[in-house]
Amino acid sequence: CNVLQQPAVLLGQAIFSTLAGQSARSDWGGLGRLVQRSTLIALVASVPLLAVFGLFGRPILHLLGGRGFSAKPELLMLLAASRVLKLGGKPLGAGLVAIGKPGQSVRISLLTDIVIYPMLPLLLALTGLIGAGWHSLLQDGAAFGLRAGAFRHWLRRMPPAQEDAPTPVEPAADAA
């Protein structure tokens, strides 16, 4: 699933300078649209890779890890879906930083780690190795949803853009 992890990092870095510029201009509408488009592009662009994993998961795992790994293509799908949500969350995290709320993304990561991580042993006990995939999907899904909600919440509360004050027009001096 590292195939999806690297683009997530690059996507967050790539849009940040544009988001910072929009933030400096108080272009909150443009900033929100860019984050929304980037998130949708990240999610939609991942669909073909998920389809490949779904159709050819067993042979891919067999090729990479041998027969022992090819028994769990479902785990590959769950982990890939989890990474897709993580990929979609990168523009949301960059958006939170751009609107001056960098701590929100960190708190969300910490919250989902603290709350959901203890579920891992239970999921492993109930479902076996597949429980690790469900755990990852649950954790990244919760983080994605919380980041989307936090971004929307804080974006709505941003102050309106300050209009440039009109420059005073000096009266023309009479040439007479």
Side-chain angles (χ1 to χ4, degrees):
C1 292
N2 200 20
V3 172
L4 290 174
Q5 200 167 4
Q6 188 62 29
V9 172
L10 295 175
L11 179 64
Q13 292 171 350
I15 69 166
F16 185 75
S17 63
T18 304
L19 293 175
Q22 289 173 320
S23 178
R25 292 187 306 277
S26 299
D27 180 10
W28 309 121
L31 189 143
R33 286 187 297 277
L34 177 59
V35 168
Q36 182 181 22
R37 277 195 320 264
S38 299
T39 301
L40 288 173
I41 288 169
L43 295 174
V44 170
S46 302
V47 170
L49 193 56
L50 282 175
V52 167
F53 286 157
L55 294 171
F56 306 108
R58 191 174 306 279
I60 290 170
L61 287 172
H62 180 76
L63 179 68
L64 295 175
R67 288 202 186 277
F69 283 92
S70 63
K72 297 292 182 193
E74 302 86 11
L75 179 59
L76 176 65
M77 278 301 297
L78 290 170
L79 292 174
S82 171
R83 292 297 178 201
V84 166
L85 292 173
K86 189 171 282 213
L87 175 65
K90 292 297 180 180
L92 294 166
L96 284 167
V97 171
I99 61 176
K101 302 295 178 189
Q104 283 296 119
S105 193
V106 173
R107 282 191 287 277
I108 288 168
S109 293
L110 187 61
L111 175 70
T112 55
D113 285 349
I114 290 171
V115 171
I116 298 174
Y117 187 71
M119 296 179 187
L120 180 58
L122 177 64
L123 288 169
L124 288 171
L126 292 175
T127 61
L129 188 57
I130 291 292
W134 285 112
H135 177 266
S136 182
L137 185 61
L138 178 64
Q139 190 168 16
D140 289 333
F144 177 83
L146 289 171
R147 276 191 186 89
F151 179 73
R152 185 175 180 199
H153 170 82
W154 288 109
L155 189 63
R156 286 182 175 172
R157 284 161 177 72
M158 296 309 294
Q162 296 292 325
E163 296 292 326
D164 291 334
T167 52
V169 178
E170 293 184 25
D174 289 328

Coordinates of all heavy atoms in Angstrom, one line a residue, residues 1 3 26 30 41 45 52 59 75 78 82 100 113 118 127 144 147 167 169:
C1 N 0.8 -1.2 0.0 CA 0.0 0.0 0.0 C 0.9 1.3 0.0 O 0.3 2.4 0.0 CB -0.9 0.0 1.2 SG -2.2 -1.3 1.1
V3 N 2.3 2.3 -2.4 CA 2.0 2.9 -3.7 C 1.1 4.1 -3.5 O 1.2 5.1 -4.2 CB 1.4 1.9 -4.7 CG1 0.9 2.5 -5.9 CG2 2.4 0.8 -4.9
S26 N -7.2 36.0 1.8 CA -8.5 35.7 2.4 C -9.5 35.2 1.4 O -10.7 35.5 1.5 CB -9.0 37.0 3.1 OG -8.1 37.3 4.2
G30 N -12.2 30.2 -2.7 CA -11.2 29.5 -3.6 C -10.5 28.4 -2.9 O -10.2 27.4 -3.4
I41 N -10.2 14.5 -6.4 CA -9.3 13.9 -7.3 C -8.5 12.8 -6.7 O -8.3 11.8 -7.3 CB -8.3 15.0 -7.9 CG1 -9.1 16.0 -8.8 CG2 -7.1 14.4 -8.6 CD1 -8.4 17.2 -9.2
A45 N -8.9 9.2 -8.3 CA -7.7 8.7 -8.9 C -7.3 7.3 -8.3 O -6.6 6.6 -9.0 CB -6.6 9.7 -8.8
V52 N -7.6 -2.8 -9.5 CA -6.5 -3.8 -9.8 C -6.3 -4.7 -8.6 O -6.1 -5.9 -8.7 CB -5.2 -3.0 -10.2 CG1 -4.0 -3.9 -10.1 CG2 -5.3 -2.4 -11.5
P59 N -2.8 -12.8 -7.0 CA -1.5 -13.0 -7.7 C -0.5 -11.9 -7.3 O 0.7 -12.2 -7.3 CB -1.9 -12.8 -9.2 CG -3.4 -13.0 -9.3 CD -3.9 -12.7 -7.9
L75 N -7.3 -8.6 2.9 CA -6.5 -7.7 3.7 C -5.9 -6.6 2.9 O -5.9 -5.5 3.3 CB -5.4 -8.5 4.5 CG -4.5 -7.7 5.4 CD1 -5.3 -7.0 6.5 CD2 -3.5 -8.6 6.0
L78 N -8.6 -4.1 2.1 CA -8.9 -3.2 3.2 C -7.8 -2.2 3.5 O -8.0 -1.0 3.7 CB -9.1 -4.1 4.5 CG -10.4 -4.9 4.5 CD1 -10.4 -5.9 5.7 CD2 -11.6 -4.0 4.5
S82 N -8.0 1.9 3.1 CA -7.6 2.7 4.2 C -6.6 3.8 3.7 O -6.7 5.0 4.0 CB -6.9 1.8 5.2 OG -6.3 2.6 6.2
G100 N -4.9 28.4 9.3 CA -4.3 28.7 10.6 C -4.7 27.7 11.7 O -4.7 28.1 12.9
D113 N -6.0 7.7 17.0 CA -5.0 6.7 17.5 C -5.4 6.3 18.9 O -5.4 5.0 19.2 CB -3.6 7.3 17.6 CG -2.9 7.4 16.2 OD1 -3.5 6.9 15.2 OD2 -1.9 8.1 16.1
P118 N -6.9 0.8 20.7 CA -7.3 -0.3 21.6 C -8.2 -1.3 21.0 O -8.3 -2.4 21.5 CB -7.9 0.5 22.8 CG -7.4 1.8 22.7 CD -7.2 2.1 21.3
T127 N -11.7 -11.5 14.2 CA -11.7 -11.8 12.7 C -10.3 -12.3 12.2 O -10.2 -12.5 11.0 CB -12.0 -10.5 12.0 OG1 -11.1 -9.5 12.3 CG2 -13.4 -10.0 12.3
F144 N -10.4 10.7 8.4 CA -10.9 11.5 7.2 C -12.2 12.2 7.5 O -12.3 13.4 7.2 CB -11.1 10.5 6.0 CG -11.6 11.1 4.8 CD1 -10.8 11.7 3.9 CD2 -13.0 11.2 4.5 CE1 -11.3 12.4 2.7 CE2 -13.5 11.8 3.4 CZ -12.6 12.4 2.5
R147 N -11.4 15.2 9.8 CA -10.7 16.3 9.1 C -11.7 17.0 8.2 O -11.6 18.3 8.1 CB -9.5 15.7 8.3 CG -8.3 15.6 9.2 CD -7.1 15.3 8.3 NE -6.0 15.0 9.3 CZ -5.7 13.8 9.7 NH1 -6.4 12.8 9.3 NH2 -4.7 13.6 10.6
T167 N -8.4 54.3 -3.2 CA -7.4 55.4 -3.0 C -8.1 56.7 -3.2 O -8.9 56.9 -4.1 CB -6.3 55.3 -4.0 OG1 -6.8 55.1 -5.3 CG2 -5.5 54.0 -3.7
V169 N -9.1 60.3 -4.4 CA -8.8 61.0 -5.6 C -8.5 62.4 -5.3 O -9.3 63.1 -4.6 CB -10.0 60.9 -6.6 CG1 -9.7 61.7 -7.9 CG2 -10.4 59.4 -6.9

